[in-house]
Amino acid sequence: MGKRYEDKLVEALKERQELTDYHGAPLLVKNLPDSEERGAMDPRLYQDSKKMLKIVGWLPKKFMKMDTSPKGIAGLRKVFNAVKSIPCVEADIEIEKRTVRMKDGYLVPVRIYKKRNDNEKQPILYYIHGGGFFGGSPDVVEESVKMLVAKTGVAAVSPDYRLAPENPYPVGHEYCYRVLRWIYENASSFGGDKERIFVAGDSAGGNLAQYCTTRDREEGLYRIKGQLLLYPTLNMAGVEDRFYQPGMEHFEMAPHQKKGLSKMIGMFAGMSSGLEKILGTSDVRNDYLNPYTRNAGNNPPTFLTVGEHDFLKIETLGYGVKLHEAGVEVKMILYKGFGHAYFDNTGVYPQCEDEAAEKVDLTAYIWYNVIIQYRR
């Protein structure tokens, strides 16, 4: 099955992009490839979402909060576990399935993605899926990970870590960190280079990825050479500062879409307040769950990306500024016309393919410039 868009739209995203300034930090803005309307949703996304926007626009506020009952979680998992990508990666990608034993004896399934017959030692991308800590799976991001492998030549590892609320915090976090250790110790067995490990994750997976980096730094191991955080969950506690001041005034919305968009942004923001109960902890302000308030120094080069209408936009960009001010090499990209979780739609929207290409540029920079410093 082919992509649902023409390649010229990916080219147009490059041609129409603008490098801007956000609180003193560079921000690459990806304008819509075929629309001049300010604050408008991507035309393809709008066609796919307009019925939902209409429904959400008329929902009472009482439905804006997350239902954390077993029935509510089951319903949300059906949504979060849906595979939206279209098979479109033409490269021959080999998928190997293994398991990693945890301290408690549980075997975490992992998938290893490589270009078939590629015998050279490859950089490793450790990709952790999102899903609010209670949903999602490697299936949801598989086509996206395959595209990253096809475009970068990395060997990717994706874990099917245990989810909350059945496995409360810090189980999922510790499992993901233990998989990182396994990757480092077993890299040669699947053709990976343990000296070139990058960690990545989307949404809650971005939080888990940052946790792995933080722990890696705390232990003085420096196994992670770069991190790629896609619309990450960083400020779960909603701590306000000069960069994070929540409010709809931070979101530009086209007038004819404003009612539905503002309600949708508010609905997702409201769902975040239920994460404490799902994770089984009242301490979401700690440095691991709320890395936004942690000293941003000592992080590796970082790639951050978020959508114009994403409820996590303010904290994502604010974190990028903090990294920049701390002297960390950071690349921030804002995609106009999109909200949350767009990278799950590889083959559906041209922005997903463009984002994979941007990761190629960043990882190339890290491999050939920054890593030399780590090896000195």
Side-chain angles (χ1 to χ4, degrees):
M1 186 182 297
K3 296 177 288 191
R4 276 177 46 184
Y5 53 86
E6 296 180 353
D7 289 338
K8 66 180 182 180
L9 292 178
V10 181
E11 297 168 5
L13 280 164
K14 289 283 189 186
E15 294 168 357
R16 294 168 60 84
Q17 69 186 23
E18 299 176 274
L19 185 62
T20 63
D21 178 275
Y22 184 83
H23 290 284
L27 173 64
L28 185 62
V29 176
K30 296 282 187 172
N31 293 306
L32 293 174
D34 53 354
S35 174
E36 299 289 346
E37 188 176 11
R38 294 181 63 86
M41 297 175 69
D42 178 271
R44 289 149 291 277
L45 177 63
Y46 180 65
Q47 287 300 315
D48 292 340
S49 309
K50 60 183 180 180
K51 288 184 179 179
M52 178 60 69
L53 280 174
K54 188 174 182 179
I55 293 171
V56 171
W58 293 104
L59 278 177
K61 286 187 177 180
K62 66 180 180 179
F63 292 108
M64 297 293 107
K65 292 185 178 182
M66 178 184 288
D67 180 1
T68 57
S69 69
K71 183 178 180 180
I73 294 297
L76 286 169
R77 276 180 175 159
K78 287 183 179 180
V79 177
F80 282 32
N81 292 357
V83 176
K84 301 173 185 176
S85 292
I86 294 174
C88 61
V89 176
E90 296 179 356
D92 189 4
I93 306 297
E94 181 182 65
I95 305 174
E96 180 185 356
K97 295 184 178 180
R98 297 196 195 179
T99 58
V100 180
R101 186 176 297 278
M102 300 292 107
K103 288 183 178 180
D104 60 8
Y106 182 82
L107 297 175
V108 172
V110 298
R111 300 180 191 181
I112 302 171
Y113 301 82
K114 281 186 62 180
K115 285 186 177 180
R116 194 176 298 277
N117 299 322
D118 194 341
N119 297 318
E120 294 185 12
K121 189 184 292 187
Q122 300 298 328
I124 301 168
L125 180 69
Y126 177 29
Y127 194 98
I128 306 172
H129 73 79
F133 304 104
F134 65 87
S137 76
D139 291 335
V140 176
V141 296
E142 180 152 283
E143 196 67 19
S144 301
V145 171
K146 286 169 65 177
M147 179 169 282
L148 287 172
V149 171
K151 287 185 175 291
T152 65
V154 300
V157 180
S158 183
D160 194 3
Y161 57 91
R162 302 190 89 173
L163 301 173
E166 295 86 352
N167 303 279
Y169 173 80
V171 173
H173 287 70
E174 291 181 348
Y175 275 24
C176 287
Y177 186 59
R178 192 167 181 84
V179 171
L180 170 66
R181 189 179 79 174
W182 178 89
I183 291 171
Y184 184 80
E185 294 174 349
N186 294 272
S188 61
S189 71
F190 56 83
D193 183 354
K194 70 177 184 179
E195 298 301 329
R196 291 189 289 173
I197 297 176
F198 304 85
V199 65
D202 60 278
S203 194
N207 183 283
L208 292 160
Q210 177 65 71
Y211 173 80
C212 288
T213 297
T214 300
R215 288 288 307 279
D216 183 55
R217 266 35 187 181
E218 284 180 340
E219 295 184 8
L221 299 172
Y222 291 81
R223 294 168 295 196
I224 294 174
K225 300 303 189 291
Q227 58 181 359
L228 300 88
L229 311 179
L230 289 63
Y231 34 87
T233 302
L234 299 168
N235 192 8
M236 205 180 303
V239 178
E240 297 186 17
D241 60 14
R242 61 193 174 108
F243 305 125
Y244 183 80
Q245 295 287 331
M248 286 299 166
E249 67 272 15
H250 300 294
F251 299 91
E252 186 175 24
M253 294 172 273
H256 66 103
Q257 298 171 354
K258 187 172 183 178
K259 185 175 182 179
L261 268 174
S262 59
K263 278 289 190 70
M264 187 168 288
I265 294 169
M267 179 177 69
F268 280 109
M271 288 174 64
S272 296
S273 63
L275 290 178
E276 283 182 280
K277 188 172 182 181
I278 288 173
L279 288 167
T281 178
S282 59
D283 182 26
V284 295
R285 296 179 71 99
N286 71 62
D287 284 349
Y288 300 136
L289 287 177
N290 213 70
Y292 182 83
T293 50
R294 182 186 175 89
N295 188 321
N298 202 32
N299 272 296
T302 301
F303 173 95
L304 288 166
T305 180
V306 71
E308 176 184 28
H309 300 135
D310 194 329
F311 68 104
L312 295 176
K313 179 182 74 172
I314 307 171
E315 64 193 70
T316 298
L317 298 182
Y319 190 60
V321 177
K322 291 184 175 188
L323 290 168
H324 176 74
E325 291 186 346
V328 175
E329 183 73 31
V330 62
K331 182 173 185 177
M332 293 193 293
I333 299 180
L334 177 71
Y335 280 94
K336 290 282 192 175
F338 273 83
H340 196 61
Y342 49 85
F343 197 57
D344 295 351
N345 295 272
T346 291
V348 181
Y349 307 123
Q351 287 83 353
C352 303
E353 184 173 347
D354 177 79
E355 186 174 68
E358 290 292 347
K359 291 185 179 67
V360 174
D361 293 342
L362 179 73
T363 50
Y365 172 84
I366 297 171
W367 298 344
Y368 299 115
N369 294 282
V370 179
I371 287 179
I372 294 174
Q373 299 176 20
Y374 281 102
R375 286 178 169 172
R376 287 175 181 172

